[in-house]
Structures are given as structure tokens and as C-alpha cells.
């Protein structure tokens, strides 16, 4: 589920703004990325650029903005080859845009966000920077009716709902997360992107950038050509790989959902067999910044919401939706605030058994 990571405090994460006072509690942030794995051979990627040749953009948000909180849902595990956060708070992410692959570097500079981009997709990424960081989000539309939500919103004023405008880059990893542990899904994503993606464009001759080991996810045609044994090595069963193959065949039609309203976008994605309410909600939370795309069918979320709002850790989807009914139109935002509140029930049952079909 989006925002599943419990962020740690950081002094680097937030962009302050004088119009909105900060709480005494430090802003939360997604944990630092793990030390990247050794470089893996890539298919030919975009040519590197000298640092001075890369286009840049500065943008000043209208209120406080926490880069790590906003962009955290895009990170698929601590070693995601498409996303890194360095120790100084710099955020790196790669995308396969309509214009081609691109790498985006984001840095908080006082009350501004500084962005630099590389690759054919650089102009597209810079043009959509404000939208990505929640410029079209309306957090003021949320009216907390529970003390926990009110306190969490006050403590994290830099939270915005991001909007990438790219469906497939969120849909494919969401399909990989169906019915498996997050560790299995993250491993599959890392393996497939490193083995079949392209090297991320970036500053030429920059050793620090090279050490990040960034990659750009494969394009639709490359996904469709991945052989069955590679899915097996990645630990992806036939059901999930078949769903991805059906999705990439209609990738252009699915990308159109990024410009649709939530009901139409959900319906468009669910036309593909194997994509249900859980997967479409997880995708549209990121691609469309949909504040009401509540995740139904999640193994943990109903119990977390039930525990936070009604002290019932055994709540099911029906009870979760009843508890979230007062937040109709903002139910995804409500669940993000709950996940970030720290009020998570202690585990009492064993974790889901991890499978590893790659060893079979």
C-alpha cells in the first residue's frame, strides 16, 4: 500500500514556508536507501551528459513540502534501482516518459526545490515538476474527524499527494506485489529492471552518480519479450507475469487513464484480466494523485485502520470502508495519515510465508 514505510525524522527533508508554521516535531522521511548493489550490465542506455549541459529548474511550492514524504510511495524497497535518496536528502528517480528515459535529481534549497534532469525525457520531467510534487493536490480539502488524524496532519505539514502522470511505471510493480510478501515483490522488481532496463542517463564522469546504480524500467516492448525463464528467476509466478504481459500489450490505452477521473481510470485498468481494485488503486494513487483511491483487499490495511480509528485490529474491508466513510473523497489521504501516525498494531501472527519459485 502507498506509504507503507514508517519514515524516520530528518532535518533535510522539508522545504519550509513562512505562511504555515512548523510543528515542534521534526518532519518524517523515508529511510535512507541501502548501499547500492554492485553494478549490473545494462542494455544500451541514453548517452551521459556533462553536468553543465543538463537542464535545470527551480520551483517554489505554495506551502511546506517534504520531498521524502511526497515521493516516498514511488520507492519500491531500499535498493530500488529507479529511486534513491542520499544521506544529504537529495532524491534521484528515473522514469520512462513519453519522450524517452530520463533521470531527475531533486534538492531542497531553502523554500525552493531545485531540479536537474538528464536524458531525452528531461524536458518532460522538468515541465511536470510541480504536478509531480503535489501542486495540484488540495490537502486543505481534508477535514480530520479523529484526533489521531488531526495530530498527524499538524505534525507533517509537508505531506502532499504526488502525481507522476505515468501509469505503467506504477502498474507493473503493483502487479508484482499481488499476493506475495513485499520482500519478494521488491526482489523481482530489482532483478527485472536491472536485467532488462536501460542504464539511467546522468552526469558524465560523476563517480557518485555511477555508484547509485540507477536504471530505467524497460519499455512495453521489452517487457513483452522477457522469456519465461527470466520471470522464473525473478520469482514471479505465471499468473503475475501473464497479467503484466496483457497490460503491456495495451500500454498506450492504459496510459490514457492518467488523465481520467478516478472511476473511469479504475474501470480502464480493470478491463485487463488480473488487474483488480487493489492493483488499480495502488497504481492511481501514484499516477493520478487520487486522494480517494482507497486500497481495498490489502492484507494489513483494514486492521491498521480499524486499530487506529476504532481500536479494532481485526477489522475487515467492510468495516474499514465504514470507518473511512466520513472522509469520502479523501480516503487515500486518510489512510496515508494513519500509516504515518505510528499507531500500528503489534504483530501477533507469523508473517506471511515467503516463497521462492526461482529455486524450483
Amino acid at each position: 500500500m502507498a506509504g507503507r514505510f514508517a519514515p524516520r525524522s530528518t532535518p533535510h527533508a522539508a522545504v519550509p514556508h513562512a505562511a504555515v508554521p512548523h510543528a515542534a516535531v521534526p518532519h518524517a522521511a523515508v529511510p535512507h536507501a541501502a548501499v547500492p548493489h554492485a553494478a549490473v550490465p545494462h542494455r544500451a542506455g541514453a548517452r551521459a551528459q556533462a553536468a553543465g549541459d543538463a537542464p535545470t529548474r527551480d520551483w517554489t511550492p505554495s506551502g511546506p513540502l517534504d520531498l521524502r514524504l511526497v515521493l516516498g510511495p514511488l520507492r519500491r524497497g531500499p535498493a530500488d534501482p529507479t529511486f534513491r535518496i542520499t544521506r544529504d536528502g537529495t532524491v534521484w528517480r528515473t522514469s520512462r516518459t513519453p519522450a524517452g528515459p530520463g533521470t531527475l535529481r531533486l534538492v531542497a534549497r531553502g523554500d525552493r526545490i531545485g531540479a536537474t534532469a538528464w536524458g531525452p525525457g528531461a524536458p518532460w520531467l522538468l515541465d511536470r515538476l510541480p504536478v509531480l510534487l503535489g501542486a495540484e493536490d488540495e490537502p486543505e480539502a481534508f477535514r480530520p474527524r479523529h484526533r489521531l488524524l488531526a495530530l498527524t496532519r499538524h505534525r507533517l505539514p509537508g505531506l502532499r499527494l504526488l502525481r507522476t502522470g505515468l501509469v505503467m511505471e506504477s502498474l507493473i510493480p503493483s502487479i508484482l506485489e499481488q499476493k506475495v510478501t513485499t520482500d519478494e515483490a521488491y526482489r523481482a522488481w530489482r532483478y527485472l529492471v536491472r536485467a532488462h532496463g536501460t542504464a539511467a542517463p546522468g552526469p558524465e564522469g560523476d563517480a557518485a552518480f555511477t555508484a547509485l546504480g540507477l536504471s530505467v524500467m524497460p519499455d512495453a516492448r521489452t517487457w513483452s519479450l522477457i522469456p519465461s525463464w527470466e520471470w522464473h528467476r525473478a520469482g514471479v509466478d505465471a499468473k503475475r507475469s501473464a497479467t503484466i504481459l496483457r497490460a503491456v500489450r495495451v500500454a498506450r490505452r492504459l496510459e490514457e487513464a492518467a488523465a481520467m477521473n478516478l472511476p473511469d481510470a479504475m474501470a480502464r485498468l480493470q478491463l485487463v484480466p488480473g488487474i483488480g481494485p487493489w492493483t488499480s488503486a495502488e497504481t492511481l494513487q501514484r499516477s493520478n494523485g487520487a486522494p480517494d483511491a482507497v486500497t481495498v483487499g490489502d492484507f494489513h490495511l483494514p486492521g491498521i485502520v480499524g486499530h487506529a480509528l476504532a481500536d479494532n485490529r481485526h477489522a475487515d474491508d467492510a468495516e474499514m470502508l465504514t470507518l473511512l466513510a466520513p472522509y469520502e473523497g479523501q480516503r487515500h489521504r486518510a489512510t496515508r495519515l494513519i500509516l504515518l501516525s505510528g499507531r500500528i498494531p503489534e504483530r501477533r501472527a507469523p508473517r506471511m510465508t515467503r516463497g521462492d519459485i526461482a529455486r524450483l
Side-chain angles (χ1 to χ4, degrees):
M1 70 200 98
R4 61 168 58 85
F5 305 107
R8 290 198 296 259
S9 298
T10 176
H12 306 290
V15 177
H17 194 273
V20 182
H22 287 264
V25 181
H27 288 317
V30 176
H32 294 306
V35 176
H37 290 263
V40 176
H42 294 81
R43 297 170 62 249
R47 183 176 62 86
Q49 296 171 273
D53 297 336
T56 62
R57 176 178 182 176
D58 279 358
W59 175 64
T60 302
S62 60
L65 188 146
D66 188 322
L67 278 179
R68 297 187 179 204
L69 277 181
V70 174
L71 297 176
L74 298 178
R75 176 176 175 263
R76 307 287 180 161
D80 184 349
T82 69
F83 190 98
R84 291 281 192 269
I85 301 180
T86 59
R87 294 189 178 278
D88 63 357
T90 301
V91 178
W92 295 81
R93 70 177 296 260
T94 69
S95 291
R96 188 167 291 280
T97 76
T103 300
L104 183 65
R105 181 180 67 191
L106 299 171
V107 183
R109 297 170 178 162
D111 63 348
R112 297 174 297 123
I113 301 294
T116 308
W118 293 266
W124 192 93
L125 290 170
L126 293 177
D127 182 61
R128 290 188 56 85
L129 176 66
V131 176
L132 171 68
L133 297 180
E136 296 180 354
D137 185 31
E138 299 178 348
E140 64 279 359
F142 182 74
R143 296 289 184 268
R145 302 192 180 193
H146 192 283
R147 185 171 183 271
L148 178 71
L149 296 179
L151 289 174
T152 305
R153 187 178 71 163
H154 178 72
R155 182 169 60 87
L156 304 174
L159 176 65
R160 297 289 184 276
L161 299 184
L162 66 94
R163 182 176 182 178
T164 66
L166 299 170
V167 171
M168 296 305 293
E169 75 169 23
S170 292
L171 176 61
I172 291 176
S174 294
I175 294 172
L176 292 175
E177 292 177 4
Q178 293 176 350
K179 306 297 184 181
V180 297
T181 65
T182 53
D183 287 345
E184 291 174 84
Y186 294 159
R187 176 191 174 277
W189 174 247
R190 289 194 303 268
Y191 179 88
L192 292 167
V193 171
R194 286 174 175 159
H196 301 281
T198 55
E204 185 176 8
D206 188 322
F209 170 76
T210 302
L212 293 174
L214 291 171
S215 303
V216 183
M217 66 172 276
D219 58 19
R221 182 174 184 275
T222 302
W223 283 113
S224 70
L225 295 176
I226 295 176
S228 59
W229 58 86
E230 279 289 88
W231 293 106
H232 187 81
R233 287 173 181 168
V236 181
D237 57 67
K239 183 177 181 180
R240 287 179 292 152
S241 62
T243 300
I244 291 174
L245 293 177
R246 286 191 290 266
V248 297
R249 292 190 189 108
V250 291
R252 291 186 180 180
R253 296 286 287 165
L254 295 182
E255 288 291 356
E256 294 173 0
M260 296 179 177
N261 60 39
L262 181 59
D264 291 342
M266 294 277 284
R268 173 65 63 88
L269 267 59
Q270 292 178 48
L271 287 173
V272 178
I275 298 177
W278 186 93
T279 306
S280 54
E282 288 287 304
T283 300
L284 297 173
Q285 289 165 4
R286 298 165 171 86
S287 64
N288 292 33
D292 199 45
V294 60
T295 303
V296 176
D298 192 81
F299 186 76
H300 299 289
L301 188 60
I304 293 173
V305 173
H307 177 73
L309 300 183
D311 199 25
N312 179 14
R313 61 175 295 148
H314 303 293
D316 56 14
D317 278 331
E319 182 167 353
M320 176 182 73
L321 292 176
T322 299
L323 292 170
L324 293 175
Y327 306 105
E328 188 79 28
Q330 295 284 323
R331 291 176 297 177
H332 169 50
R333 192 188 310 276
T335 59
R336 277 222 69 194
L337 288 169
I338 290 170
L339 289 165
L340 292 167
S341 71
R343 185 171 167 75
I344 308 297
E346 294 182 2
R347 293 184 180 273
R348 293 181 181 175
R351 290 174 180 265
M352 180 178 176
T353 302
R354 177 177 176 176
D356 189 358
I357 68 171
R359 295 185 178 183
L360 298 178

